mmCIF file of all heavy atoms in Angstrom:
data_model
loop_
_atom_site.group_PDB
_atom_site.id
_atom_site.type_symbol
_atom_site.label_atom_id
_atom_site.label_comp_id
_atom_site.label_asym_id
_atom_site.label_seq_id
_atom_site.Cartn_x
_atom_site.Cartn_y
_atom_site.Cartn_z
ATOM 1 N N LEU K 8 26.171 16.754 34.667
ATOM 2 C CA LEU K 8 27.430 16.435 34.017
ATOM 3 C C LEU K 8 28.158 17.694 33.590
ATOM 4 O O LEU K 8 29.367 17.839 33.777
ATOM 5 C CB LEU K 8 27.184 15.550 32.792
ATOM 6 C CG LEU K 8 26.905 14.067 33.083
ATOM 7 C CD1 LEU K 8 26.478 13.382 31.809
ATOM 8 C CD2 LEU K 8 28.139 13.396 33.665
ATOM 9 N N THR K 9 27.421 18.661 33.030
ATOM 10 C CA THR K 9 28.037 19.920 32.575
ATOM 11 C C THR K 9 28.657 20.667 33.743
ATOM 12 O O THR K 9 29.806 21.126 33.682
ATOM 13 C CB THR K 9 26.985 20.812 31.891
ATOM 14 O OG1 THR K 9 26.490 20.137 30.749
ATOM 15 C CG2 THR K 9 27.601 22.135 31.472
ATOM 16 N N LEU K 10 27.920 20.782 34.847
ATOM 17 C CA LEU K 10 28.444 21.475 36.024
ATOM 18 C C LEU K 10 29.657 20.730 36.597
ATOM 19 O O LEU K 10 30.614 21.351 37.069
ATOM 20 C CB LEU K 10 27.359 21.600 37.096
ATOM 21 C CG LEU K 10 26.208 22.572 36.772
ATOM 22 C CD1 LEU K 10 25.108 22.455 37.799
ATOM 23 C CD2 LEU K 10 26.734 23.996 36.709
ATOM 24 N N THR K 11 29.610 19.394 36.527
ATOM 25 C CA THR K 11 30.739 18.584 37.036
ATOM 26 C C THR K 11 32.002 18.881 36.250
ATOM 27 O O THR K 11 33.076 19.070 36.815
ATOM 28 C CB THR K 11 30.393 17.096 36.948
ATOM 29 O OG1 THR K 11 29.247 16.831 37.748
ATOM 30 C CG2 THR K 11 31.568 16.251 37.435
ATOM 31 N N PHE K 12 31.891 18.918 34.898
ATOM 32 C CA PHE K 12 33.064 19.154 34.061
ATOM 33 C C PHE K 12 33.625 20.548 34.316
ATOM 34 O O PHE K 12 34.845 20.746 34.364
ATOM 35 C CB PHE K 12 32.690 18.987 32.586
ATOM 36 C CG PHE K 12 32.315 17.588 32.232
ATOM 37 C CD1 PHE K 12 31.143 17.307 31.559
ATOM 38 C CD2 PHE K 12 33.129 16.531 32.581
ATOM 39 C CE1 PHE K 12 30.787 16.020 31.242
ATOM 40 C CE2 PHE K 12 32.791 15.225 32.260
ATOM 41 C CZ PHE K 12 31.610 14.968 31.585
ATOM 42 N N ILE K 13 32.747 21.543 34.492
ATOM 43 C CA ILE K 13 33.214 22.917 34.761
ATOM 44 C C ILE K 13 33.914 22.972 36.118
ATOM 45 O O ILE K 13 34.949 23.599 36.274
ATOM 46 C CB ILE K 13 32.044 23.896 34.695
ATOM 47 C CG1 ILE K 13 31.515 23.974 33.257
ATOM 48 C CG2 ILE K 13 32.456 25.276 35.175
ATOM 49 C CD1 ILE K 13 30.250 24.810 33.113
ATOM 50 N N ALA K 14 33.343 22.265 37.105
ATOM 51 C CA ALA K 14 33.948 22.238 38.438
ATOM 52 C C ALA K 14 35.310 21.588 38.405
ATOM 53 O O ALA K 14 36.259 22.050 39.048
ATOM 54 C CB ALA K 14 33.018 21.507 39.413
ATOM 55 N N ILE K 15 35.443 20.485 37.669
ATOM 56 C CA ILE K 15 36.729 19.800 37.535
ATOM 57 C C ILE K 15 37.759 20.730 36.947
ATOM 58 O O ILE K 15 38.923 20.785 37.382
ATOM 59 C CB ILE K 15 36.575 18.528 36.700
ATOM 60 C CG1 ILE K 15 35.788 17.477 37.475
ATOM 61 C CG2 ILE K 15 37.941 17.962 36.302
ATOM 62 C CD1 ILE K 15 35.430 16.238 36.668
ATOM 63 N N SER K 16 37.362 21.516 35.938
ATOM 64 C CA SER K 16 38.284 22.465 35.326
ATOM 65 C C SER K 16 38.767 23.474 36.358
ATOM 66 O O SER K 16 39.943 23.826 36.406
ATOM 67 C CB SER K 16 37.593 23.204 34.170
ATOM 68 O OG SER K 16 37.260 22.309 33.151
ATOM 69 N N TYR K 17 37.861 23.919 37.217
ATOM 70 C CA TYR K 17 38.221 24.912 38.236
ATOM 71 C C TYR K 17 39.131 24.304 39.297
ATOM 72 O O TYR K 17 40.163 24.870 39.662
ATOM 73 C CB TYR K 17 36.939 25.461 38.879
ATOM 74 C CG TYR K 17 37.206 26.461 39.987
ATOM 75 C CD1 TYR K 17 37.553 27.784 39.687
ATOM 76 C CD2 TYR K 17 37.124 26.079 41.317
ATOM 77 C CE1 TYR K 17 37.798 28.696 40.700
ATOM 78 C CE2 TYR K 17 37.372 26.987 42.330
ATOM 79 C CZ TYR K 17 37.706 28.306 42.022
ATOM 80 O OH TYR K 17 37.949 29.205 43.013
ATOM 81 N N ILE K 18 38.747 23.102 39.763
ATOM 82 C CA ILE K 18 39.495 22.463 40.834
ATOM 83 C C ILE K 18 40.907 22.108 40.388
ATOM 84 O O ILE K 18 41.853 22.119 41.164
ATOM 85 C CB ILE K 18 38.741 21.194 41.318
ATOM 86 C CG1 ILE K 18 37.429 21.624 41.973
ATOM 87 C CG2 ILE K 18 39.587 20.379 42.268
ATOM 88 C CD1 ILE K 18 36.489 20.461 42.271
ATOM 89 N N SER K 19 41.044 21.786 39.087
ATOM 90 C CA SER K 19 42.348 21.372 38.578
ATOM 91 C C SER K 19 43.391 22.473 38.666
ATOM 92 O O SER K 19 44.580 22.226 38.514
ATOM 93 C CB SER K 19 42.217 20.925 37.110
ATOM 94 O OG SER K 19 41.937 22.047 36.280
ATOM 95 N N GLY K 20 42.930 23.710 38.925
ATOM 96 C CA GLY K 20 43.877 24.817 39.047
ATOM 97 C C GLY K 20 44.342 25.366 37.735
ATOM 98 O O GLY K 20 45.262 26.187 37.684
ATOM 99 N N GLN K 21 43.725 24.923 36.648
ATOM 100 C CA GLN K 21 44.114 25.429 35.334
ATOM 101 C C GLN K 21 43.765 26.906 35.250
ATOM 102 O O GLN K 21 42.612 27.299 35.357
ATOM 103 C CB GLN K 21 43.382 24.641 34.236
ATOM 104 C CG GLN K 21 43.559 25.228 32.844
ATOM 105 C CD GLN K 21 44.961 25.003 32.325
ATOM 106 O OE1 GLN K 21 45.586 24.023 32.667
ATOM 107 N NE2 GLN K 21 45.443 25.896 31.504
ATOM 108 N N LYS K 22 44.742 27.741 35.048
ATOM 109 C CA LYS K 22 44.503 29.176 34.935
ATOM 110 C C LYS K 22 43.741 29.468 33.658
ATOM 111 O O LYS K 22 44.041 28.927 32.612
ATOM 112 C CB LYS K 22 45.837 29.915 34.927
ATOM 113 C CG LYS K 22 45.702 31.442 34.899
ATOM 114 C CD LYS K 22 47.062 32.104 34.917
ATOM 115 C CE LYS K 22 46.927 33.603 34.846
ATOM 116 N NZ LYS K 22 48.257 34.265 34.819
ATOM 117 N N TYR K 23 42.734 30.309 33.755
ATOM 118 C CA TYR K 23 41.961 30.674 32.574
ATOM 119 C C TYR K 23 42.885 31.341 31.561
ATOM 120 O O TYR K 23 43.641 32.248 31.881
ATOM 121 C CB TYR K 23 40.813 31.622 32.935
ATOM 122 C CG TYR K 23 40.050 32.044 31.728
ATOM 123 C CD1 TYR K 23 39.108 31.199 31.141
ATOM 124 C CD2 TYR K 23 40.288 33.276 31.121
ATOM 125 C CE1 TYR K 23 38.430 31.573 30.011
ATOM 126 C CE2 TYR K 23 39.603 33.656 29.983
ATOM 127 C CZ TYR K 23 38.688 32.799 29.435
ATOM 128 O OH TYR K 23 38.022 33.163 28.302
ATOM 129 N N THR K 24 42.817 30.883 30.327
ATOM 130 C CA THR K 24 43.668 31.389 29.273
ATOM 131 C C THR K 24 42.821 31.907 28.133
ATOM 132 O O THR K 24 41.974 31.188 27.621
ATOM 133 C CB THR K 24 44.597 30.270 28.731
ATOM 134 O OG1 THR K 24 45.329 29.722 29.819
ATOM 135 C CG2 THR K 24 45.571 30.848 27.701
ATOM 136 N N ASN K 25 43.046 33.145 27.756
ATOM 137 C CA ASN K 25 42.315 33.717 26.632
ATOM 138 C C ASN K 25 42.806 33.117 25.320
ATOM 139 O O ASN K 25 43.936 32.656 25.216
ATOM 140 C CB ASN K 25 42.518 35.232 26.588
ATOM 141 C CG ASN K 25 41.702 35.946 27.645
ATOM 142 O OD1 ASN K 25 40.565 35.545 27.932
ATOM 143 N ND2 ASN K 25 42.259 36.979 28.237
ATOM 144 N N PRO K 26 41.961 33.139 24.296
ATOM 145 C CA PRO K 26 42.398 32.690 22.982
ATOM 146 C C PRO K 26 43.395 33.670 22.405
ATOM 147 O O PRO K 26 43.523 34.816 22.881
ATOM 148 C CB PRO K 26 41.094 32.679 22.173
ATOM 149 C CG PRO K 26 40.218 33.672 22.840
ATOM 150 C CD PRO K 26 40.555 33.585 24.301
ATOM 151 N N PRO K 27 44.129 33.299 21.370
ATOM 152 C CA PRO K 27 45.059 34.232 20.734
ATOM 153 C C PRO K 27 44.318 35.482 20.248
ATOM 154 O O PRO K 27 43.206 35.395 19.720
ATOM 155 C CB PRO K 27 45.621 33.449 19.555
ATOM 156 C CG PRO K 27 45.285 32.035 19.809
ATOM 157 C CD PRO K 27 44.111 31.995 20.698
ATOM 158 N N GLU K 28 44.948 36.634 20.412
ATOM 159 C CA GLU K 28 44.307 37.887 20.000
ATOM 160 C C GLU K 28 44.019 37.883 18.509
ATOM 161 O O GLU K 28 42.986 38.409 18.065
ATOM 162 C CB GLU K 28 45.194 39.077 20.364
ATOM 163 C CG GLU K 28 45.181 39.412 21.850
ATOM 164 C CD GLU K 28 43.793 39.774 22.347
ATOM 165 O OE1 GLU K 28 43.110 40.566 21.694
ATOM 166 O OE2 GLU K 28 43.394 39.231 23.407
ATOM 167 N N TRP K 29 44.898 37.272 17.708
ATOM 168 C CA TRP K 29 44.692 37.322 16.268
ATOM 169 C C TRP K 29 43.406 36.621 15.844
ATOM 170 O O TRP K 29 42.796 36.964 14.811
ATOM 171 C CB TRP K 29 45.889 36.713 15.511
ATOM 172 C CG TRP K 29 46.153 35.247 15.738
ATOM 173 C CD1 TRP K 29 47.053 34.703 16.601
ATOM 174 C CD2 TRP K 29 45.527 34.128 15.076
ATOM 175 N NE1 TRP K 29 47.028 33.318 16.525
ATOM 176 C CE2 TRP K 29 46.112 32.942 15.584
ATOM 177 C CE3 TRP K 29 44.559 34.010 14.088
ATOM 178 C CZ2 TRP K 29 45.749 31.679 15.158
ATOM 179 C CZ3 TRP K 29 44.177 32.743 13.658
ATOM 180 C CH2 TRP K 29 44.765 31.603 14.191
ATOM 181 N N ALA K 30 42.946 35.640 16.654
ATOM 182 C CA ALA K 30 41.764 34.870 16.287
ATOM 183 C C ALA K 30 40.474 35.668 16.426
ATOM 184 O O ALA K 30 39.421 35.239 15.947
ATOM 185 C CB ALA K 30 41.683 33.607 17.141
ATOM 186 N N LYS K 31 40.551 36.818 17.075
ATOM 187 C CA LYS K 31 39.368 37.659 17.247
ATOM 188 C C LYS K 31 39.137 38.594 16.054
ATOM 189 O O LYS K 31 38.135 39.305 16.019
ATOM 190 C CB LYS K 31 39.507 38.496 18.523
ATOM 191 C CG LYS K 31 39.697 37.688 19.786
ATOM 192 C CD LYS K 31 39.918 38.604 20.983
ATOM 193 C CE LYS K 31 40.166 37.803 22.250
ATOM 194 N NZ LYS K 31 40.436 38.669 23.424
ATOM 195 N N ASN K 32 40.062 38.576 15.138
ATOM 196 C CA ASN K 32 40.016 39.606 14.074
ATOM 197 C C ASN K 32 40.416 39.027 12.735
ATOM 198 O O ASN K 32 41.230 39.590 12.026
ATOM 199 C CB ASN K 32 40.937 40.762 14.472
ATOM 200 C CG ASN K 32 40.691 42.007 13.652
ATOM 201 O OD1 ASN K 32 39.598 42.211 13.123
ATOM 202 N ND2 ASN K 32 41.695 42.833 13.525
ATOM 203 N N VAL K 33 39.855 37.841 12.395
ATOM 204 C CA VAL K 33 40.181 37.210 11.117
ATOM 205 C C VAL K 33 38.918 36.881 10.334
ATOM 206 O O VAL K 33 37.815 36.826 10.886
ATOM 207 C CB VAL K 33 41.014 35.909 11.305
ATOM 208 C CG1 VAL K 33 42.386 36.217 11.840
ATOM 209 C CG2 VAL K 33 40.283 34.914 12.203
ATOM 210 N N ILE K 34 39.108 36.673 9.044
ATOM 211 C CA ILE K 34 38.059 36.149 8.177
ATOM 212 C C ILE K 34 38.516 34.766 7.720
ATOM 213 O O ILE K 34 39.505 34.629 6.996
ATOM 214 C CB ILE K 34 37.783 37.055 6.971
ATOM 215 C CG1 ILE K 34 37.147 38.379 7.409
ATOM 216 C CG2 ILE K 34 36.834 36.377 5.988
ATOM 217 C CD1 ILE K 34 38.133 39.481 7.619
ATOM 218 N N TRP K 35 37.816 33.742 8.181
ATOM 219 C CA TRP K 35 38.192 32.365 7.881
ATOM 220 C C TRP K 35 37.725 31.942 6.499
ATOM 221 O O TRP K 35 36.639 32.302 6.048
ATOM 222 C CB TRP K 35 37.567 31.401 8.911
ATOM 223 C CG TRP K 35 38.196 31.465 10.246
ATOM 224 C CD1 TRP K 35 37.696 32.073 11.373
ATOM 225 C CD2 TRP K 35 39.439 30.885 10.636
ATOM 226 N NE1 TRP K 35 38.549 31.903 12.430
ATOM 227 C CE2 TRP K 35 39.631 31.175 12.000
ATOM 228 C CE3 TRP K 35 40.409 30.142 9.971
ATOM 229 C CZ2 TRP K 35 40.752 30.762 12.709
ATOM 230 C CZ3 TRP K 35 41.542 29.726 10.669
ATOM 231 C CH2 TRP K 35 41.704 30.030 12.004
ATOM 232 N N TYR K 36 38.577 31.157 5.838
ATOM 233 C CA TYR K 36 38.236 30.569 4.546
ATOM 234 C C TYR K 36 38.601 29.095 4.613
ATOM 235 O O TYR K 36 39.769 28.744 4.838
ATOM 236 C CB TYR K 36 38.996 31.260 3.418
ATOM 237 C CG TYR K 36 38.563 30.879 2.018
ATOM 238 C CD1 TYR K 36 37.463 31.491 1.428
ATOM 239 C CD2 TYR K 36 39.271 29.936 1.290
ATOM 240 C CE1 TYR K 36 37.075 31.143 0.134
ATOM 241 C CE2 TYR K 36 38.906 29.589 0.005
ATOM 242 C CZ TYR K 36 37.807 30.204 -0.577
ATOM 243 O OH TYR K 36 37.406 29.859 -1.853
ATOM 244 N N GLN K 37 37.602 28.235 4.461
ATOM 245 C CA GLN K 37 37.810 26.791 4.597
ATOM 246 C C GLN K 37 38.055 26.159 3.237
ATOM 247 O O GLN K 37 37.253 26.321 2.312
ATOM 248 C CB GLN K 37 36.575 26.158 5.254
ATOM 249 C CG GLN K 37 36.714 24.651 5.457
ATOM 250 C CD GLN K 37 35.452 24.039 6.008
ATOM 251 O OE1 GLN K 37 34.546 24.732 6.466
ATOM 252 N NE2 GLN K 37 35.372 22.714 5.981
ATOM 253 N N ILE K 38 39.167 25.418 3.115
ATOM 254 C CA ILE K 38 39.565 24.813 1.845
ATOM 255 C C ILE K 38 39.554 23.294 1.949
ATOM 256 O O ILE K 38 40.174 22.690 2.829
ATOM 257 C CB ILE K 38 40.973 25.297 1.425
ATOM 258 C CG1 ILE K 38 40.931 26.791 1.067
ATOM 259 C CG2 ILE K 38 41.481 24.478 0.236
ATOM 260 C CD1 ILE K 38 42.262 27.348 0.620
ATOM 261 N N PHE K 39 38.827 22.684 1.020
ATOM 262 C CA PHE K 39 38.804 21.241 0.829
ATOM 263 C C PHE K 39 39.658 20.977 -0.409
ATOM 264 O O PHE K 39 39.203 21.116 -1.537
ATOM 265 C CB PHE K 39 37.351 20.797 0.621
ATOM 266 C CG PHE K 39 37.125 19.313 0.750
ATOM 267 C CD1 PHE K 39 36.831 18.747 1.972
ATOM 268 C CD2 PHE K 39 37.144 18.499 -0.372
ATOM 269 C CE1 PHE K 39 36.574 17.389 2.092
ATOM 270 C CE2 PHE K 39 36.905 17.145 -0.272
ATOM 271 C CZ PHE K 39 36.624 16.579 0.963
#
Side-chain angles (χ1 to χ4, degrees):
L8 282 172
T9 299
L10 290 172
T11 300
F12 294 129
I13 293 174
I15 290 172
S16 296
Y17 178 78
I18 293 170
S19 69
Q21 172 71 31
K22 184 179 178 182
Y23 178 79
T24 305
N25 284 322
E28 285 300 313
W29 64 263
K31 302 176 182 178
N32 195 25
V33 292
I34 292 94
W35 288 103
Y36 189 83
Q37 181 184 347
I38 292 181
F39 194 88

